[in-house]
Amino acid sequence: MSAVRPLPYSRHAIDEDDIAAVAEVLRGDWLTTGPKVHDFEAALAQRCGADFAISCTNGTAALHLACLALGIGPDHTVIVPTMTFAATANAARLAGAEVFFADCDPESGLMQLPQFEAALAQLKRDGCRAAAVFPVDLAGQCADLETIAACARHEGLAIVEDSCHALGTRYQRHDGSWTAVGGCGDSDITVFSFHPVKNIAAGEGGAALTRQPDLARRLAMFRNHGVNREPADFTDKEAGFESAPGNPQVNPWYYEMTALGLNYRLSDINCALALNQLGKLEHFAAHRRRLAERYDARLAGLAPLLRPIQRSAHCRPAWHLYSVLIDFDASPLSRGQLVRALEARGIRTQVHYIPVHRHPYYRDRYGAISLPGAEAYYRRTLSLPLFVGMDEDDVDYVVETLGELLGIGAEATRKRVS
Ligand SMILES: Cc1ncc(COP(=O)(O)O)c(C=O)c1O
């Protein structure tokens, strides 16, 4: 049984070696952008199979940088699935773009091809063209990204994959090969979050990955105040170079601010932690998968009142969340009553997510929108505790408590365990 009580829905896993990695940076010469930033970015890009990884202060910043790098701005509309954290949509709004919310599959919460195509068709009817789509790898599993990417590319949309939940997830492409989320074979840019509840922790942290050199350059440029230090790109050669006939020397202090950027740099302190955690990602993901399998087996006894969310075919998720769907119309407790009763027994749960279009900011901007798939998912969803410090006894405790509160006997939850 884990020593952590109450059980949170998620939490970081920090060991002595993580503490040592951070302490080493604190004793060194670089606290801000130093060698650990470079090392982490190189390791992350390699781990995912992308050519470039640009670290930044958090996942929201990564999404915002993606918009800026792609030139998404006030003249544009982007498609965002409504079943996500608000940051996915907010990043586009921060860049000045309008958001068109797509519905999701009511059983998985994912925007699959039909929901994406419905959004495209509605936009066309409205006389509008989308500039980009933001598929979200909800809970750690992905939709059929290859099909969505093919459709997006056919329609001329940029693709920003929000993989904040899915570092470590792999999926099978149509040719049978397996690829890591973040490899950017089906996106222009893929973003991650390293918030402590996510699959690895950096304190706060995020990254944007790409295969495209020009996007990588722009992501890095917007992350650092819009500054360019590449002499070949200086616009003012006279100021940038000392004119020695035939052998112009770069002025060592010189740089140019070429666009309105931000300070979204991640520090060496954060990157030391993230790099050390990345080394444990395989182990973390395997442990989360084992816990999810235990949940699946034990929860089978609570069906059909409670069921895990639908699994994506051809996806091997590194689960960030263990979300279930509960038929509250048939349950003895409302969701609020269940959440409070679980909390009283040391089990913290969460709802992922309130559909973003329902938040007052978006309701005021776009009016009342009907997205029935997302509404059906939202009405039933609850995320149960899932973190690396948990063991199978914790899972059993959660399942048995759920069974008791939902009025289904202990026998049922034991039924399917061999
Ligand atoms: C789907 C999704 N996108 C983006 C973000 C933003 O990440 P961060 O908290 O690192 O800014 C989150 C964080 O919860 C998220 O869940």
Side-chain angles (χ1 to χ4, degrees):
M1 189 74 99
S2 150
V4 184
R5 281 292 184 276
L7 291 168
Y9 83 85
S10 186
R11 76 175 253 123
H12 53 269
I14 298 292
D15 297 320
E16 285 305 318
D17 52 277
D18 296 303
I19 295 167
V22 172
E24 186 194 317
V25 170
L26 293 174
R27 291 195 187 94
D29 294 331
W30 298 93
L31 295 187
T32 57
T33 309
K36 292 295 178 194
V37 172
H38 173 266
D39 293 351
F40 173 58
E41 291 181 342
L44 182 65
Q46 201 208 5
R47 172 73 180 63
C48 295
D51 293 331
F52 307 95
I54 287 81
S55 64
C56 56
T57 45
N58 50 58
T60 309
L63 286 159
H64 189 201
L65 286 174
C67 293
L68 297 175
L70 286 162
I72 293 169
D75 296 336
H76 298 125
T77 297
V78 304
I79 296 176
V80 174
T82 190
M83 190 44 66
T84 183
F85 183 55
T88 323
N90 295 354
R93 286 292 306 126
L94 285 168
E98 297 301 337
V99 174
F100 188 89
F101 287 106
D103 203 359
C104 71
D105 174 81
E107 303 305 316
S108 67
L110 294 168
M111 178 191 71
Q112 295 283 12
L113 186 66
Q115 291 85 25
F116 177 41
E117 285 181 330
L120 283 171
Q122 183 59 50
L123 275 169
K124 274 187 192 157
R125 281 195 293 277
D126 295 348
C128 179
R129 233 194 107 254
V133 58
F134 288 61
V136 175
D137 302 332
L138 189 70
Q141 62 174 357
C142 50
D144 180 355
L145 292 173
E146 200 177 345
T147 305
I148 289 175
C151 175
R153 287 183 175 135
H154 182 257
E155 296 288 327
L157 274 67
I159 306 157
V160 179
E161 186 184 347
D162 183 339
S163 295
C164 286
H165 293 188
L167 181 63
T169 292
R170 299 179 70 77
Y171 64 97
Q172 195 171 28
R173 306 197 79 236
H174 298 168
D175 66 4
S177 64
W178 284 83
T179 186
V181 158
C184 301
D186 296 308
S187 70
D188 293 292
I189 296 174
T190 295
V191 305
F192 292 116
S193 163
F194 314 119
H195 181 279
V197 296
K198 300 297 195 311
N199 291 359
I200 65 166
E204 295 272 4
L209 280 67
T210 184
R211 291 185 180 184
Q212 300 170 40
D214 191 50
L215 283 180
R217 193 185 57 72
R218 287 172 62 79
L219 286 163
M221 187 263 291
F222 281 111
R223 167 182 66 178
N224 190 24
H225 304 286
V227 160
N228 167 49
R229 290 184 186 278
E230 187 50 59
D233 297 333
F234 287 165
T235 58
D236 187 341
K237 304 286 182 207
E238 224 170 275
F241 296 88
E242 192 164 16
S243 50
N247 183 25
Q249 297 282 310
V250 178
N251 283 327
W253 67 87
Y254 191 74
Y255 61 88
E256 290 182 343
M257 194 207 107
T258 54
L260 195 57
L262 299 125
N263 177 356
Y264 275 168
R265 298 185 307 262
L266 192 59
S267 77
D268 250 36
I269 304 169
N270 298 102
C271 285
L273 177 55
L275 180 61
N276 207 61
Q277 291 254 304
L278 189 62
K280 297 186 267 191
L281 176 61
E282 245 357 279
H283 155 72
F284 286 172
H287 189 73
R288 285 170 174 276
R289 236 174 255 129
R290 266 197 305 280
L291 295 173
E293 281 162 14
R294 179 79 177 187
Y295 267 128
D296 288 351
R298 299 273 337 236
L299 287 171
L302 302 189
L305 185 63
L306 181 154
R307 283 178 293 118
I309 58 170
Q310 192 176 70
R311 302 301 190 248
S312 270
H314 314 296
C315 178
R316 186 168 157 73
W319 291 109
H320 158 52
L321 300 172
Y322 189 86
S323 302
V324 296
L325 300 173
I326 301 174
D327 180 359
F328 285 105
D329 294 336
S331 150
L333 300 180
S334 69
R335 182 159 55 183
Q337 287 169 329
L338 180 63
V339 168
R340 282 188 289 274
L342 287 167
E343 168 87 38
R345 286 164 173 78
I347 299 166
R348 290 205 171 129
T349 53
Q350 185 53 277
V351 171
H352 297 96
Y353 287 99
I354 302 162
V356 181
H357 73 276
R358 290 178 58 140
H359 286 297
Y361 171 81
Y362 286 106
R363 218 179 41 223
D364 290 350
R365 190 164 190 87
Y366 301 125
I369 300 169
S370 164
L371 295 171
E375 296 293 347
Y377 184 88
Y378 168 58
R379 255 197 319 277
R380 296 172 295 154
T381 192
L382 195 65
S383 299
L384 308 180
L386 183 75
F387 56 92
V388 170
M390 271 175 80
D391 59 24
E392 295 192 334
D393 287 345
D394 294 313
V395 171
D396 293 352
Y397 173 65
V398 174
V399 174
E400 280 154 24
T401 309
L402 271 169
E404 186 195 317
L405 292 171
L406 294 173
I408 301 171
E411 265 317 298
T413 57
R414 252 184 247 122
K415 206 167 66 180
R416 292 285 284 270
V417 183
S418 51

